[in-house]
Amino acid sequence: MRRRSGEDPVSDRDGGDHRPIRVCVYGVGSVDGEEFAAALARKRDRFLVDVVDRPDRKRTVESADCGLLVADGADDAVDAESLEMAAAAFRTDPPRATTSAAASERTPPNDELTARSESTAVAPGDPSAVPVVLVGHGIRSDLAVRAYESGIDDVHRLANRDGVADGHPPTESPDGGRETLSTVATELAHEIERLVSERRRTAALCEERDRLETIVDRFPGVVYRCLAVPDWPMEYVTGAVEALTGYTAADLERNRYSWGRDVVHPADRERVADLVFDGLESAGSFELTYRIQPRDGTTKWVWERGTRVEPTPDGTPRIEGYVADVTDRRERAEQLQVISHLLRHNVRNDMTVVRGYTSLLAEETDEFDDETTVMLDRIDDLLTTVDKTQPIVDVLTTPHERGTVAVDEAIERAVETVETRHEVAPSRVSVVSKRVRAIPELERAFVEVVENAVVHSDGDEPEIEIRAATDDETVAVSVVDDGPVIPDMERDILTGDRTPEPLFHGTGLGLWLVEWIVRRSGGSLSFDETDEGGNVVTLTLPRLE
């Protein structure tokens, strides 16, 4: 039989969740539960109350949001076994015992009941388990304890028919009167809403965690939340934890082993702590590459990015982040460094010899002046390109942690470098004293852009301006020159708007170096033209407060 009334509506108590709550009422022993069901149905519009005659009617109870067992302590048929059977009909997980503050307030004082219920309390089991509440007259303390042990979530012990409950006087309402059925139903309604709301929230969190773990399982990395203290104790960790470290997620979450103490390589622990805390203090996030020492004693390289999140209730800061194995990438970087060194060394040595013979030929005869001049220019260009390959390889292969860079100071040093090399300085420099988050090579990027403007200028005194603009999140540094304009294809390839064609070779490596430095710094590179036919090269970088 289903009842839906709502003659005594009250405000929502579960965060605005207006979904119906289906309550399944079962009378244990000789109690039919009809009286409680009718009283409960009158308390909420959203309550759909069913009375069942047997606890094993799975078709009825499996769709319930809450089970209400009604019993009479004076009934000989009401014992621990009957309560356990009734509770089991509402869930499939093993019986569990919990304690409830609300239940403690309603239960008459009894040291034995309190001690036993606390000693048997364990963490909740399956979040989908339907909560079950027991209510009845004259429920004894020992029976209440057994009810908790059998998996019942809460017990409302009412005075028995003669006004005594387990040796205690009847419960009184605030106005001094006896507890009425309506008062009991109101308390039950509050408790049922609380239990159902808690169950729904837990189920939603578990569903979200399962979804996150499904996503993480598709990537060869580790997602975590930990405390921001040097041992980095893990509150939550998932993904390829064991494959990366040799330790299970449970090992780390239960603090059997510590990420900082047992996983991070001993030689890198201090550096990791310094970089993490510096990043959190300056930007609320960090990014770094370091070594770990898995359980098998080998060494791996990992890349990690993390951010500060809500602290614990006692104020301890927390971090959430992602860790990826970059050992293979690191090995390839080392191989590239070796190849770059050998090629650069051999090409430079051979081209130096060729240049020497070409210079000697130019001094010995005037017959090939034009040819030797072109040859010497090409050789010098090639040697300049060779010199730029190593900085590019360094940027691409070396782990560079982003740090704080003062824009005005970096530009000032870059201008001094260009002036020393070419005896030419920008005509106007107007930059703000702002800090950005970038890799240490940012100054080299400024040098390349300014030097590119000097070298490619058609005038004897190049017109070069350096200016900066800021907003809440970025600092944009622009270098404005008097031309010639950088070819469209080269600009589009640098910004990613076009894919290089087989016959495209570009004009050099300088702007590629700038692009990679800016990208590694979390910024972007863009190009524009002036009305007079010059270039505007802009480096946009993440600003720090």
Side-chain angles (χ1 to χ4, degrees):
M1 182 183 302
R2 173 172 295 182
R3 295 170 175 80
R4 180 173 182 176
S5 180
E7 297 173 6
D8 183 22
V10 296
S11 60
D12 290 327
R13 294 178 176 269
D14 51 1
D17 184 356
H18 298 281
R19 288 176 290 173
I21 294 178
R22 186 163 180 264
V23 183
C24 191
V25 180
Y26 170 66
V28 183
S30 60
V31 178
D32 62 13
E34 291 282 352
E35 186 180 24
F36 275 99
L40 187 62
R42 287 193 292 269
K43 294 299 173 181
R44 297 289 189 274
D45 285 333
R46 60 194 294 209
F47 278 9
L48 303 177
V49 184
D50 285 324
V51 180
V52 297
D53 55 6
R54 292 193 309 170
D56 60 347
R57 289 183 58 182
K58 290 289 187 178
R59 188 171 59 181
T60 303
V61 299
E62 280 182 351
S63 60
D65 293 306
C66 183
L68 178 64
L69 305 182
V70 183
D72 191 330
D75 189 342
D76 292 337
V78 177
D79 56 17
E81 185 176 352
S82 64
L83 292 178
E84 186 170 357
M85 288 181 59
F90 290 92
R91 56 167 59 100
T92 58
D93 62 323
R96 74 184 194 277
T98 59
T99 56
S100 166
S104 300
E105 293 175 0
R106 285 186 291 274
T107 303
N110 184 292
D111 293 339
E112 178 188 4
L113 173 60
T114 302
R116 290 187 63 187
S117 62
E118 289 179 352
S119 67
T120 58
V122 296
D126 183 357
S128 64
V130 175
V132 180
V133 178
L134 171 64
V135 62
H137 296 278
I139 302 296
R140 304 184 309 276
S141 298
D142 61 329
L143 197 58
V145 171
R146 291 297 299 273
Y148 284 121
E149 292 173 346
S150 67
I152 291 174
D153 296 82
D154 208 352
V155 179
H156 285 250
R157 301 169 65 210
L158 310 177
N160 59 23
R161 304 299 181 182
D162 59 7
V164 178
D166 197 22
H168 296 278
T171 306
E172 294 187 353
S173 62
D175 61 1
R178 285 264 178 106
E179 190 174 41
T180 65
L181 183 58
S182 177
T183 302
V184 173
T186 298
E187 292 185 1
L188 285 173
H190 294 338
E191 182 63 6
I192 288 170
E193 285 186 320
R194 184 189 69 80
L195 290 170
V196 172
S197 176
E198 182 178 291
R199 176 203 179 205
R200 288 173 174 173
R201 283 196 302 269
T202 303
L205 288 173
C206 289
E207 182 179 348
E208 178 65 18
R209 175 168 177 157
D210 290 343
R211 187 186 66 82
L212 176 61
E213 290 182 347
T214 299
I215 295 173
V216 171
D217 287 342
R218 299 174 184 173
F219 299 94
V222 172
V223 172
Y224 69 87
R225 182 179 65 240
C226 73
L227 301 181
V229 295
D231 276 352
W232 319 116
M234 294 291 174
E235 293 186 329
Y236 171 75
V237 61
T238 188
V241 182
E242 192 166 3
L244 179 63
T245 68
Y247 302 103
T248 66
D251 286 337
L252 296 171
E253 288 178 342
R254 296 172 184 173
N255 207 29
R256 295 194 193 106
Y257 299 95
S258 158
W259 189 273
R261 185 178 60 250
D262 301 298
V263 178
V264 179
H265 194 286
D268 286 357
R269 288 172 189 166
E270 184 175 351
R271 182 177 69 88
V272 167
D274 290 343
L275 290 172
V276 170
F277 289 128
D278 287 348
L280 293 176
E281 182 178 356
S282 61
S285 62
F286 61 89
E287 180 180 326
L288 71 161
T289 304
Y290 60 93
R291 291 170 293 178
I292 64 171
Q293 198 168 56
R295 198 168 194 168
D296 61 7
T298 58
T299 297
K300 294 181 180 179
W301 284 89
V302 297
W303 170 84
E304 179 177 350
R305 174 179 288 173
T307 187
R308 182 174 52 228
V309 294
E310 192 72 20
T312 63
D314 65 3
T316 304
R318 279 190 179 118
I319 300 170
E320 286 183 354
Y322 178 78
V323 181
D325 187 351
V326 294
T327 304
D328 290 344
R329 187 190 309 171
R330 180 79 180 190
E331 291 175 353
R332 288 196 296 271
E334 291 174 352
Q335 295 162 1
L336 181 59
Q337 285 280 9
V338 171
I339 293 172
S340 171
H341 177 74
L342 289 174
L343 289 176
R344 189 166 51 89
H345 179 268
N346 293 341
V347 170
R348 170 164 281 284
N349 285 349
D350 291 346
M351 293 309 299
T352 300
V353 172
V354 173
R355 192 183 195 289
Y357 281 119
T358 304
S359 298
L360 184 60
L361 179 63
E363 293 172 2
E364 293 291 334
T365 178
D366 297 334
E367 185 178 354
F368 302 105
D369 280 353
D370 293 341
E371 291 83 351
T372 54
T373 299
V374 172
M375 290 175 63
L376 289 172
D377 288 343
R378 292 295 178 86
I379 291 170
D380 288 341
D381 289 344
L382 180 58
L383 289 174
T384 300
T385 299
V386 169
D387 287 339
K388 288 183 177 179
T389 59
Q390 188 57 43
I392 289 176
V393 171
D394 289 341
V395 169
L396 294 177
T397 63
T398 306
H400 295 288
E401 284 78 30
R402 297 175 190 172
T404 301
V405 177
V407 173
D408 55 340
E409 295 176 5
I411 290 177
E412 182 179 352
R413 291 191 297 268
V415 168
E416 290 175 356
T417 299
V418 174
E419 189 173 6
T420 300
R421 292 177 181 175
H422 303 280
E423 298 182 352
V424 175
S427 51
R428 292 183 297 279
V429 178
S430 176
V431 296
V432 291
S433 179
K434 295 294 182 182
R435 297 183 304 156
V436 296
R437 187 167 179 78
I439 62 175
E441 287 78 10
L442 179 62
E443 183 180 324
R444 177 64 184 264
F446 291 145
V447 170
E448 288 293 335
V449 177
V450 176
E451 191 169 47
N452 195 62
V454 170
V455 171
H456 291 92
S457 175
D458 294 330
D460 294 333
E461 296 183 0
E463 288 290 325
I464 301 172
E465 178 185 0
I466 303 175
R467 61 192 183 210
T470 65
D471 58 27
D472 292 339
E473 297 182 352
T474 63
V475 174
V477 178
S478 298
V479 177
V480 185
D481 63 38
D482 54 4
V485 174
I486 300 170
D488 289 343
M489 180 176 289
E490 186 161 354
R491 291 190 301 181
D492 291 344
I493 290 173
L494 283 166
T495 57
D497 294 333
R498 183 182 299 188
T499 303
E501 297 175 1
L503 297 180
F504 172 78
H505 302 291
T507 57
L509 293 176
L511 288 177
W512 280 108
L513 178 58
V514 175
E515 157 67 14
W516 286 322
I517 290 174
V518 172
R519 188 189 306 173
R520 286 293 179 96
S521 299
S524 61
L525 181 67
S526 60
F527 300 90
D528 202 352
E529 298 179 19
T530 65
D531 295 337
E532 294 77 19
N535 300 287
V536 181
V537 181
T538 302
L539 292 70
T540 303
L541 300 154
R543 173 184 172 180
L544 292 178
E545 294 296 335

